[in-house]
Amino acid sequence: MKVGLFVTCLVDLVRPSVGFATLKLLEEAGCEVVVPETQTCCGQPGYNSGAREVAMDLARKVLAEFRDCDYVVAPSGSCSGQVKAHYVEDLFHDSPERPEFEKLAAKWYELSDFLVNVLKVESVPRKFASPVTYHDSCSGLRELGVKMQPRYLLQMAGAPIHEMAECEKCCGFGGTFSVKLGDIATRMAANKVANARASGAKAIVGGDLGCLLNIEGRLRREGDLETQVLHFAEVLAGGSDDDQGERRPPQINADKRR
Amino acid sequence: MQVTSMFFKKTASMKLDDPVLQESLRKFKGKFVDARARAVAEVDAWETVRSHAARLRDHAIENLDAYLVEFERNATRRGATVHWAETAEEACEIVVGIAKANGVRKVTKSKSMVSEEINLNERLEAVGVQVVETDLGEYILQLANEPPSHIVAPAVHKTKEQVADLFVAAHHKPRLTDIAAMTREAREALREHFLTADMGISGSNFVIAETGTTLTVTNEGNADLVTTVPRIHCVITGIEKVIPTLEDFATLIRLLPRSATGQSIANYLTLTTGVKAPGETDGPEQMHIVLVDAGRTKFVGTDMQAMLRCIRCGACMNHCPVYQNVGGHAYGWVYPGPMGSVLTPTYVGIENAGDLPNAATFCGECAVVCPVKIPLPDLMRKLREKQFDRKLRPWGERLGLAAWSYAARRPSLYAALTKFAARFAAFLGGKERLIHRLPGLDGWTKGRDMPAPEGRTFRELYGERQRRKASSADERR
């Protein structure tokens, strides 16, 4: 089974460890993983800023890059929603290219959905004993129905889940919204952080790096250097690439800070 | 109502720091949301009803001309006079004309958002007509001289204490803070107006073509007194409110109160058809129905047409995380929240409401709860496309987008830029691995740190890994 890994632009730039954790989860489950070198972005930032043409160009680029794969997996509900919902239903809705994009959408999976519903994994590489709370990112939840999949996997890793109030409420990231309307985004992140901390969890876990950076950014600004903010792939597989040796783990080490 | 939507960003930031408003919003937040969830759960086939309602609204909008004419015919047959107003100005002139022609000195009003759109109260007052809002929330706002901040609960931004002060000033009675007692006091103050008004003005939640009926959905019963007691009843409503049949009303009323306030049904559904007939004891002698366009036809036949399905329940704003945090006034016109972010730019011009389509994270809650399945985020995105095409966003934003667009399509350049950016930002993050301030991204760093990148891109690290694998495979060979 040839599985294309769509790394996502944020993971590529900010937290490669999430990419390696994803790679590990897929490889340990027996997938032959390919990572097209030319991939950049699914086009969502442009699409949501009104730049339709560039979004279409990037969609075509994604299509070409993953044409040979049986499946494509992304550690993001947001990028996956862009591909599975918006490429087909909007960008190429009435285009002759639509069937191609329908095929792409059909073989494209958000990571937790793929692990649970396609690979049907029964174990994960790592144990995680600290209590976690899960933030449901909007696109994954509302566009793809990702809800129980990551929780199921977290339980497989042995992580007790302490649900927070309003776990389905937007954290305020929203791509460029987080910068354009920063004050509102900050308040939404503060609400999320308050709910997460009230849950008593030691780690806030999610499936989209954008939300996680937003939540962590607020958490740290409020002076909380203890609570971890992790992608579920990092929880399930550890942050570092084993081949890589000397890479920094994603956990915040409080001693080294401030 | 004066449009201040162009100041959304600034106003919203002020609202975030307004402790009284924040307290009101905090109290309000869960109420309608939880009640709606319970009320929706009562309906087995909620999604089916929703789909049906969306289709029937689409059908009505696609045949707007035919159904409006049918409505006019049937309403006229029952003794009502139907007026057509293409603009807000025309609508006001018509109502003022009716008032003048009949020597109207006092008007009682039940809640009408269309009248807010067209500044009707001001226009009536300018010709010496006393206007009394009778919906409790609207009554409070009239005393406070403020616009509504929610389409269903207009005074939701007001605290009980603020209302108590307003009542003392208006009613000259001892200050009350028990809500039931305050309501009774308002009721008593309004009673005299109900009995002495020459004309009642109401909105209409729908207008029914086959019967020529207008109707109000309320909880206070004030609309019944407004529509039946005075000798003249004037209905003012948008042309998109037309639905073909009573049966369609039966469908929509299953959705409206549940979506709005979480009630299975509202306290009063008042259907009004025509004037007092010979031999009848109650009802107005004259009934005027003003059908207002004022921008609505701008949606017809465009990719924004789905917006006209809206039945004004307010579920989108109740669930919107942006509305929940900044309240309705920040949106700067009659309609707040996601529906306002679509309506306002189209009604008043996108150049006068630039931030509204951007005042959304596209979390999608509004689309999920909309009883007539309006794809609100998609419509806001279409408005963003218009802004992009017309170069209406600030130059910094456009420059950033252009640079990103250029690089994202050129993998080698993109790889080089991200390689540099990852290192540079990691350097900025220092030992803490947090960036506290980043010029150009102050919108982020004002209230949040930016977790720094790890330092190298996935692309680089993965490339190295593949090369290592290849060379160790070579060695084994």
Side-chain angles (χ1 to χ4, degrees):
Chain A
M1 184 194 294
K2 190 169 161 186
V3 177
L5 170 60
F6 185 79
V7 180
T8 81
C9 57
L10 280 178
V11 167
D12 177 51
L13 179 68
V14 184
R15 272 234 315 242
S17 42
V18 174
F20 284 105
T22 305
L23 200 57
K24 186 170 172 182
L25 288 166
L26 295 173
E27 285 179 342
E28 293 212 355
C31 302
E32 180 207 336
V33 183
V34 293
V35 187
E37 211 186 337
T38 55
Q39 62 178 292
T40 56
C41 173
C42 67
Q44 193 181 169
Y47 177 63
N48 283 345
S49 302
R52 208 177 160 85
E53 288 300 321
V54 63
M56 289 174 81
D57 276 358
L58 289 170
R60 291 191 187 100
K61 181 170 160 302
V62 170
L63 179 74
E65 284 160 351
F66 292 94
R67 204 182 294 275
D68 297 337
C69 299
D70 300 313
Y71 292 98
V72 188
V73 174
S76 159
S78 181
C79 312
S80 299
Q82 175 70 8
V83 175
K84 289 176 79 73
H86 299 286
Y87 282 5
V88 181
E89 284 160 29
D90 184 17
L91 288 175
F92 297 92
H93 176 68
D94 43 14
S95 147
E97 298 162 84
R98 181 181 166 126
E100 294 249 42
F101 283 100
E102 279 177 350
K103 269 189 240 160
L104 178 69
K107 68 181 182 182
W108 190 293
Y109 283 84
E110 182 276 335
L111 176 63
S112 69
D113 198 23
F114 188 69
L115 293 171
V116 172
N117 289 321
V118 179
L119 296 179
K120 302 189 191 326
V121 297
E122 281 165 11
S123 67
V124 292
R126 198 164 82 133
K127 289 283 162 216
F128 195 93
S130 308
V132 301
T133 194
Y134 195 82
H135 164 62
D136 293 283
S137 289
C138 300
S139 303
L141 177 71
R142 297 191 186 88
E143 291 177 351
L144 307 174
V146 172
K147 174 75 186 177
M148 293 318 293
Q149 300 90 322
R151 287 174 172 77
Y152 181 63
L153 292 165
L154 290 170
Q155 281 171 348
M156 229 178 251
I161 300 176
H162 292 198
E163 294 288 359
M164 66 176 124
E166 301 191 309
C167 60
E168 295 184 357
K169 190 51 88 180
C170 179
C171 71
F173 175 64
T176 55
F177 175 88
S178 62
V179 180
K180 283 195 246 180
L181 291 153
D183 290 348
I184 305 173
T186 297
R187 179 61 54 86
M188 287 162 69
N191 295 343
K192 179 60 67 178
V193 162
N195 282 327
R197 286 162 78 168
S199 76
K202 299 280 181 227
I204 304 171
V205 180
D208 270 277
L209 192 52
C211 312
L212 296 175
L213 294 173
N214 184 43
I215 294 168
E216 181 173 350
R218 182 60 202 176
L219 197 64
R220 304 298 175 233
R221 179 60 61 91
E222 289 183 7
D224 183 332
L225 304 179
E226 307 298 321
T227 307
Q228 291 182 293
V229 182
L230 299 169
H231 192 285
F232 69 80
E234 295 174 294
V235 175
L236 304 178
S240 61
D241 172 18
D242 293 343
D243 298 350
Q244 196 61 38
E246 281 298 299
R247 288 176 22 72
R248 276 185 294 199
Q251 288 89 341
I252 304 295
N253 185 339
D255 313 334
K256 286 187 186 163
R257 306 163 53 121
R258 286 207 178 129
Chain B
M1 192 178 152
Q2 189 77 32
V3 183
T4 57
S5 304
M6 55 290 245
F7 308 119
F8 174 83
K9 186 174 171 178
K10 204 174 146 212
T11 320
S13 296
M14 278 160 49
K15 299 292 179 190
L16 288 170
D17 292 332
D18 176 343
V20 180
L21 173 70
Q22 289 298 320
E23 179 60 15
S24 302
L25 290 172
R26 194 186 58 73
K27 280 187 186 152
F28 167 69
K29 190 167 147 188
K31 264 189 190 167
F32 282 177
V33 171
D34 296 345
R36 176 196 168 274
R38 282 194 298 273
V40 165
E42 298 167 357
V43 182
D44 286 340
W46 179 258
E47 287 306 315
T48 313
V49 182
R50 237 179 124 222
S51 299
H52 179 67
R55 277 198 303 274
L56 89 81
R57 290 293 293 136
D58 278 344
H59 172 78
I61 301 304
E62 278 152 23
N63 300 282
L64 200 54
D65 47 354
Y67 285 121
L68 285 171
V69 169
E70 185 187 346
F71 170 78
E72 181 183 36
R73 194 169 55 239
N74 290 322
T76 308
R77 186 179 299 156
R78 295 293 297 264
T81 309
V82 176
H83 307 260
W84 302 79
E86 200 173 322
T87 61
E89 182 57 34
E90 270 180 45
C92 285
E93 278 169 15
I94 291 166
V95 180
V96 168
I98 296 165
K100 276 185 176 169
N102 292 284
V104 170
R105 300 175 63 180
K106 186 191 279 186
V107 160
T108 45
K109 268 184 80 197
S110 71
K111 201 160 74 63
S112 152
M113 298 312 287
V114 177
S115 74
E116 299 283 344
E117 263 181 59
I118 66 174
N119 297 322
L120 182 60
N121 291 12
E122 269 176 43
R123 293 291 302 274
L124 286 167
E125 283 159 3
V127 296
V129 177
Q130 185 190 358
V131 181
V132 183
E133 294 285 355
T134 66
D135 172 270
L136 182 58
E138 293 284 354
Y139 177 69
I140 291 165
L141 295 183
Q142 192 177 26
L143 297 179
N145 193 23
E146 282 177 29
S149 70
H150 189 286
I151 62 167
V152 173
V156 67
H157 60 283
K158 285 258 170 279
T159 62
K160 189 174 72 174
E161 285 66 31
Q162 289 174 321
V163 176
D165 295 341
L166 289 167
F167 279 10
V168 169
H171 302 154
H172 312 293
K173 288 186 178 165
R175 192 173 190 272
L176 298 172
T177 48
D178 171 59
I179 290 178
M182 291 164 77
T183 308
R184 197 175 312 118
E185 188 180 297
R187 206 182 269 273
E188 281 161 13
L190 285 169
R191 189 148 301 154
E192 182 233 327
H193 295 300
F194 282 127
L195 297 173
T196 54
D198 307 295
M199 178 159 92
I201 296 179
S202 73
S204 187
N205 290 80
F206 301 106
V207 306
I208 303 172
E210 71 169 351
T211 53
T213 300
T214 63
L215 64 100
T216 55
V217 180
T218 68
N219 280 320
E220 296 167 21
N222 60 312
D224 299 53
L225 293 167
V226 167
T227 58
T228 54
V229 179
R231 60 192 161 91
I232 306 167
H233 174 203
C234 180
V235 180
I236 180 152
T237 193
I239 51 170
E240 87 287 10
K241 294 288 178 64
V242 74
I243 52 173
T245 65
L246 265 174
E247 179 66 35
D248 294 333
F249 170 64
T251 300
L252 291 165
I253 204 63
R254 296 183 75 192
L255 299 169
L256 178 57
R258 286 189 171 89
S259 299
T261 50
Q263 293 166 286
S264 308
I265 193 149
N267 293 350
Y268 298 88
L269 306 183
T270 308
L271 286 77
T272 312
T273 312
V275 294
K276 177 163 70 177
E280 285 180 357
T281 51
D282 294 319
E285 291 155 18
Q286 289 180 41
M287 182 179 188
H288 297 273
I289 302 164
V290 186
L291 298 173
V292 183
D293 178 349
R296 285 156 175 80
T297 44
K298 284 187 204 165
F299 288 91
V300 177
T302 72
D303 54 3
M304 308 289 290
Q305 185 174 302
M307 192 60 222
L308 293 181
R309 287 180 205 156
C310 180
I311 60 172
R312 304 294 193 263
C313 69
C316 58
M317 60 198 75
N318 295 341
H319 290 77
C320 175
V322 175
Y323 180 95
Q324 285 174 349
N325 283 297
V326 305
H329 284 160
Y331 291 81
W333 200 52
V334 184
Y335 300 108
M339 52 92 80
S341 295
V342 176
L343 284 176
T344 308
T346 313
Y347 283 177
V348 308
I350 199 166
E351 58 285 351
N352 295 321
D355 279 328
L356 293 189
N358 297 284
T361 61
F362 287 165
C363 74
E365 276 204 66
C366 52
V368 171
V369 298
C370 176
V372 285
K373 293 180 125 172
I374 301 171
L376 288 154
D378 294 343
L379 299 183
M380 281 184 252
R381 191 183 298 105
K382 286 182 198 306
L383 290 168
R384 293 184 190 185
E385 285 170 12
K386 290 183 174 75
Q387 291 182 315
F388 176 79
D389 292 343
R390 292 175 53 190
K391 300 191 170 57
L392 291 174
R393 294 299 300 167
W395 68 269
E397 218 175 288
R398 297 204 323 264
L399 185 69
L401 185 55
W404 172 83
S405 304
Y406 188 84
R409 287 184 276 197
R410 290 167 179 78
S412 316
L413 172 67
Y414 186 88
L417 289 174
T418 48
K419 185 175 169 179
F420 169 76
R423 278 171 175 70
F424 182 64
F427 163 75
L428 290 180
K431 274 188 183 160
E432 286 186 321
R433 298 179 57 207
L434 289 174
I435 301 168
H436 301 302
R437 189 156 176 274
L438 196 57
L441 289 180
D442 325 23
W444 180 297
T445 53
K446 190 176 151 205
R448 288 156 293 174
D449 290 334
M450 178 75 84
E454 290 170 11
R456 301 182 71 194
T457 63
F458 179 86
R459 191 189 318 273
E460 291 177 66
L461 295 167
Y462 182 77
E464 281 172 18
R465 176 180 122 143
Q466 293 308 91
R467 282 193 288 281
R468 258 198 324 277
K469 274 192 175 173
S471 68
S472 64
D474 283 349
E475 278 164 28
R476 276 199 299 275
R477 215 173 284 145

